[in-house]
Structure formats: C-alpha cells, structure tokens
Amino acid sequence: MVTSFEKRILEERKRMGATVESLSDRVEKFAGGPRNKEILLKTLQYESTGHLDFSLFPSPPVLDHGKGAKVYDVDGREYIDLHAGFTVNALGHANTEVNEAIKAQMDKISHFAELPMESRAELARLLAESMPGDFEKKVMWAVTGGEAVEIAIKLARWYTGKPIILTHWGDYHGRTAMAMGLTSKAPMMAYSYPIPPMDTAVVRIPFPYCYRCPFGKEYPACDLFCADQLEKMFQSKETWLNNPRANVTNVAAMLIEPFQSSAGYMLAPLPYLQQMKQIAEKYDYIFVSDEVQNGMGRTGKLWAIEHAGVAPDLIATAKSLSNGLPLSAVIGRKEIMDSWGPAAHSSTFTGYPAACAGGVKVFEIYERDGIVAGAAEKGAYFLDGLKQLAAKHPSIGLAEGLGLYLSVEFVRNRKTKEPAAEETSWMTGELVRSGVLCISSGYYYNRLCFAPPLVIEKEEIDQALQILDDVIGRMEGEFGLG
Ligand SMILES: Cc1ncc(COP(=O)(O)O)c(C=O)c1O
C-alpha cells in the first residue's frame, strides 16, 4: 500500500528540516560560551533556517578572527582549522599580503559593473597559463562556484548543441537551480520532490568508490569494470546517450569532480579518470573538471585532474582563488570560450576587481613560497599520521588523501564495513569542543574530512593528530568499538 501525498509529504519534510526550537536547544546545550550563545540565538531569531551552518556542527562556533591555520571564536577559544571554510582560505586567515592587495584595489576603484580592469585581465592570464593542455585557453568570470558550473553547462550545451550532461552520483556542483540538477545530496532532496529534478537532461553514473564498490568489485583486479559500464551505455541503443547506428551522440559534456568533495573527500583511481576522458574524446563531448573545492593546489598539484595527466576542456574554479573574497571562473579551450557573444552570461559582481587583485597576489605567493609542493609534502605527512591512527584504532576503515585533501572513514566492524554514522557525528561535536574544526561527511555520514589552509605548520598537524587520537579513542570507548 503506497502512502498518499497528504499523509506523506508534510511528515517527510518535517523529518528533513529543523525547527528554530530544536536548533535553540542545541545552542543551549552545546554553545561554546556566553558570546557564542548570544550571537547564535540572534542568528536564529533573524536568519532563515535554510543556511548551512547548523548542518555542519551541533552548535557552530561563532568565529571572531583567525591567523594562518588557527581561528578564534567570540569567547576567545582557539581552534586548529582543518576546514578552511571548505578550502577558501588556502593561504590562511588574515593573510596580510593578500588583504593589502585587495585593499589597494578597493582604494582605487572597487567595482564598476563588468567593465574590464587590469587586475581581472592579469588574473585571467595567470589562470589561462596555469591550465593543463597543449592548446590556447581563456577565462570566463563569475562570483560563486555554482555559477561557474552553470557557465560550464551553458557553454557545453551551446558549443555542442547537445543536451545531456553526464555526472556522478555523489558529485557536488552547487545549489542554484541549474547546478542542483547535477548535485546529489540528501538535504537537497527537499527541493526536488515532489517536483521532478530541475534538469532532466542529466545522466548520473556511480562514482568509483572503491572501498565500497557499487559493483561489488575489488580495485585494481576489477580492471575498471565501472568505466566499461559507461562505454556500454554508449554502445546500446537503449539509453539516451547515443544512437550507435547513426553514430550520433546526445551528450554535451561530462561534468565531474575528479575527487568528490562534499560526499566525503573521495579519491577516484587515476586510470578511471583517464578512461573517462578517453570516452569523452571518442564520443566527442566536452570534459569538465569541477575543481571548485579541490583545485588551486589543494591536492598537491595546482589542478586536481593533473594527477591523472588529463587535460580537461573546461575547469570550474572558485573558493581558494582570492583567499576569502567571492570569485569564480571557468578556464577552458579558447574555441569553446569564444564560441558565444558578449553578455552571453553575466552577473553584477562578476570578476570583482578587488577579488581579482587578491587572486593575483595569491598566485604570486604560491610561486614564491612553493605552496603547491608544500601541500603535497605536508599532505603526505598528515596522511602518514592518519595511517598510524588507523593502525591503532579499529574503528578506522580507511584513511586516504592527496595533498591536504584527506579523509577517514569510520566503521563499526572492519570486515562488514558497517558505517559508524552516529559515532562520526559524536566526534564532530567532540572535536569542536577539543579545538579542531573539520568537516564531517561520507556517503553514509561516516567520514571526517580534513582540508586545512595550505600554510598549516607541521606542529599544527601534530597537534591536530593528537586531538584526533584522543577523540577517536574516547568514541571507541563510548560506543564499545575498541
Ligand atoms: C565541487 C564544488 N562545485 C561547486 C560548488 C558550489 O560553489 P558555491 O557554493 O560557491 O556556489 C561547490 C561548493 O562547495 C563545490 O565544492
């Protein structure tokens, strides 16, 4: 017997949402001090419950200031930042050099519609020259990551004249209406039901989550069975993707995160990414790497896709670009970028000149201080520390990472891999209380993810590992997983 709309929908929405009362209770119970509490209650009084903040922590800390890889809340509590605002603050908090470059531009002229300015043109040059691939590149500006993704989708459809965008289950591409069509994330179900998904020309395939292979295989013995499934979809006449007899494809682009971010910092095998690119070439569609979260040196290469030696046609980038100001871009093949006319896409704060001035300084510091190589080196050190924790703690099923893009998956039993979801959420709260900010995620709510500012010191990594060791140990005691 199927439950009717009236009986089901309101009840389901209630389960997916949170009320001001329930959030206030959390603040009463978990707020980190009197000033935190006062501001959180004010937030709940005047700001919509639709923000992300309360979904990240039982009671989010109210930050006052930061320096490097440390942040401080309004009650003066110090935190090691293993979050970096979802990788925005790559060069650390309150970076004086970047802030001075931004201020210098603000003092000259902060913004004028979308008129070209020197800082914008210079950052476009730096980005274009940074993109892998032996072809000419150009840049298109936007403000948010979601908007950059939308530009990539529009461009791909415009350039190819085809509708379908291929992506992975578990990819995150933003929460604007069009980007939401590509994003698979539980809280967003609320916005795509009972209304059908926003964009019906999106086809999703499983991400190569090898620790829990969706096809029940083992990597590398599987010989990339999953990638072959996509190829098979093209060979069949019974999918939307292709008319094999007429040799006509219906796909505009594959738009993927090479390493899924919001799903839990998931690493794809590099040969899989290579095969995705080969299939894109074979069936003549655009390959887009969404590096909004893991580009700009995060993984120990400037662009994450470089690990696979693949040159994408387009890259979407945002977060770390200006170390704190909103700025995003699509970098891509010149012929694609120049295929449309003036004002094909626009928004008022596009290519904000002060943010671009910050971005130019970011590139200068990356070059001068070897930031990307540093991320690779410190990331290897951090991963080694996590692997040592895995050797000690039976609740760790997997520790993986590339550069300073790392995660740990928690299980109740290493054999059955039963996800330790409640335990992970318990740790997120305990970590904040112990002075570590990090992201919790995972397909089954059972991963902790680490993305500190790339300027984090090794001593700070050691300190964070010590706190993690303690919190994981306490969790194992509390839940009987020792
Ligand atoms: C991979 C990826 N793409 C797109 C977005 C959307 O960016 P924004 O939140 O700036 O719209 C995000 C944001 O987290 C992201 O991680």
Side-chain angles (χ1 to χ4, degrees):
M1 175 67 185
V2 176
T3 316
S4 69
F5 178 93
E6 334 53 291
K7 284 203 191 123
R8 172 186 270 170
I9 298 296
L10 296 180
E11 200 40 53
E12 284 179 346
R13 286 199 170 177
K14 218 186 274 172
R15 291 208 298 275
M16 283 194 279
T19 60
V20 171
E21 291 69 35
S22 67
L23 297 179
S24 306
D25 282 353
R26 274 158 57 177
V27 170
E28 292 293 342
K29 219 162 137 194
F30 298 117
R35 284 285 290 147
N36 271 274
K37 185 167 159 184
E38 183 189 332
I39 296 168
L40 287 169
L41 292 176
K42 187 172 175 183
T43 304
L44 287 173
Q45 187 177 359
Y46 293 107
E47 295 185 24
S48 162
T49 48
H51 289 287
L52 186 68
D53 40 21
F54 277 89
S55 68
L56 300 180
F57 302 103
S59 177
V62 180
L63 299 182
D64 180 70
H65 63 281
K67 193 68 199 162
K70 294 263 174 74
V71 286
Y72 301 83
D73 74 15
V74 285
D75 287 299
R77 286 179 9 156
E78 180 184 280
Y79 304 86
I80 303 172
D81 180 6
L82 301 186
H83 188 303
F86 289 113
T87 76
V88 166
N89 298 100
L91 288 180
H93 300 276
N95 185 300
T96 317
E97 286 179 282
V98 178
N99 290 357
E100 273 168 8
I102 290 169
K103 184 169 182 305
Q105 179 66 49
M106 293 292 277
D107 288 343
K108 282 202 292 181
I109 185 165
S110 59
H111 171 258
F112 197 105
E114 278 193 52
L115 292 191
M117 289 197 195
E118 190 178 355
S119 61
R120 196 179 96 179
E122 175 59 5
L123 187 56
R125 178 185 75 79
L126 290 164
L127 283 170
E129 288 180 357
S130 77
M131 182 179 170
D134 191 16
F135 44 81
E136 282 186 82
K137 298 113 185 172
K138 296 186 90 170
V139 168
M140 178 118 192
W141 295 111
V143 183
T144 67
E147 193 189 355
V149 165
E150 299 217 350
I151 289 175
I153 297 170
K154 282 157 82 172
L155 251 178
R157 286 181 172 154
W158 167 263
Y159 186 74
T160 60
K162 308 285 181 178
I164 292 177
I165 309 291
L166 278 167
T167 191
H168 286 127
W169 287 106
D171 265 29
Y172 186 92
H173 298 294
R175 295 183 194 226
T176 49
M178 195 172 182
M180 220 157 73
L182 272 76
T183 296
S184 332
K185 201 158 179 64
M188 290 160 62
M189 257 176 64
Y191 314 105
S192 53
Y193 98 135
I195 309 148
M198 311 297 162
D199 190 333
T200 49
V202 171
V203 172
R204 289 180 175 79
I205 59 171
F207 181 79
Y209 179 6
C210 298
Y211 180 66
R212 297 175 190 275
C213 174
F215 298 99
K217 307 271 179 196
E218 290 275 343
Y219 180 77
C222 63
D223 213 11
L224 292 177
F225 178 88
C226 53
D228 287 343
Q229 299 316 298
L230 177 62
E231 178 84 49
K232 286 201 173 111
M233 284 168 77
F234 277 99
Q235 287 159 1
S236 157
K237 77 178 193 338
E238 298 300 333
T239 71
W240 277 358
L241 304 188
N242 203 23
N243 178 336
R245 190 170 278 164
N247 192 20
V248 171
T249 174
N250 206 18
V251 177
M254 170 170 250
L255 193 159
I256 55 170
E257 291 187 88
F259 309 124
Q260 288 187 331
S261 57
S262 222
Y265 286 21
M266 325 286 300
L267 301 185
L270 303 179
Y272 173 86
L273 296 171
Q274 289 154 5
Q275 204 160 322
M276 288 300 107
K277 177 65 164 68
Q278 282 158 13
I279 296 174
E281 279 171 16
K282 182 167 173 189
Y283 293 98
D284 200 16
Y285 55 84
I286 288 170
F287 185 84
V288 190
S289 187
D290 178 350
E291 307 217 6
V292 165
Q293 193 157 159
N294 53 29
M296 286 297 289
R298 172 60 47 193
T299 62
K301 295 215 183 265
L302 190 66
W303 302 112
I305 194 73
E306 288 180 76
H307 286 283
V310 161
D313 302 299
L314 303 175
I315 293 178
T317 175
K319 298 190 194 284
S320 313
L321 270 183
S322 184
N323 205 52
L325 284 190
L327 180 68
S328 67
V330 175
I331 324 166
R333 278 181 185 275
K334 178 180 183 300
E335 62 270 28
I336 302 175
M337 306 301 283
D338 280 346
S339 67
W340 56 11
H345 180 90
S346 157
S347 74
T348 304
F349 290 104
T350 275
Y352 193 69
C356 288
V360 171
K361 184 55 80 175
V362 165
F363 264 88
E364 190 186 313
I365 298 172
Y366 268 47
E367 179 77 25
R368 184 195 68 200
D369 296 349
I371 294 291
V372 180
E377 199 226 325
K378 288 185 247 182
Y381 181 78
F382 199 156
L383 183 60
D384 187 50
L386 292 175
K387 294 211 157 137
Q388 286 176 33
L389 291 185
K392 179 172 170 190
H393 294 286
S395 63
I396 296 183
L398 176 74
E400 64 176 351
L402 253 186
L404 285 166
Y405 189 75
L406 307 119
S407 65
V408 171
E409 177 150 345
F410 291 92
V411 290
R412 291 192 177 138
N413 178 315
R414 277 192 181 161
K415 264 213 173 93
T416 63
K417 299 187 181 173
E418 184 189 349
E422 200 189 328
E423 294 84 343
T424 305
S425 125
W426 184 90
M427 282 189 289
T428 318
E430 284 302 306
L431 283 165
V432 185
R433 281 189 282 283
S434 310
V436 167
L437 289 189
C438 67
I439 302 157
S440 88
S441 184
Y443 274 47
Y444 304 97
Y445 306 99
N446 63 331
R447 277 198 179 206
L448 291 178
C449 307
F450 309 113
L454 306 182
V455 293
I456 192 168
E457 306 282 347
K458 280 193 177 156
E459 297 71 47
E460 291 167 325
I461 295 177
D462 289 339
Q463 228 180 320
L465 284 166
Q466 240 170 38
I467 297 173
L468 271 167
D469 187 13
D470 171 61
V471 170
I472 297 169
R474 284 194 287 120
M475 176 275 286
E476 290 178 338
E478 179 86 13
F479 291 85
L481 299 187

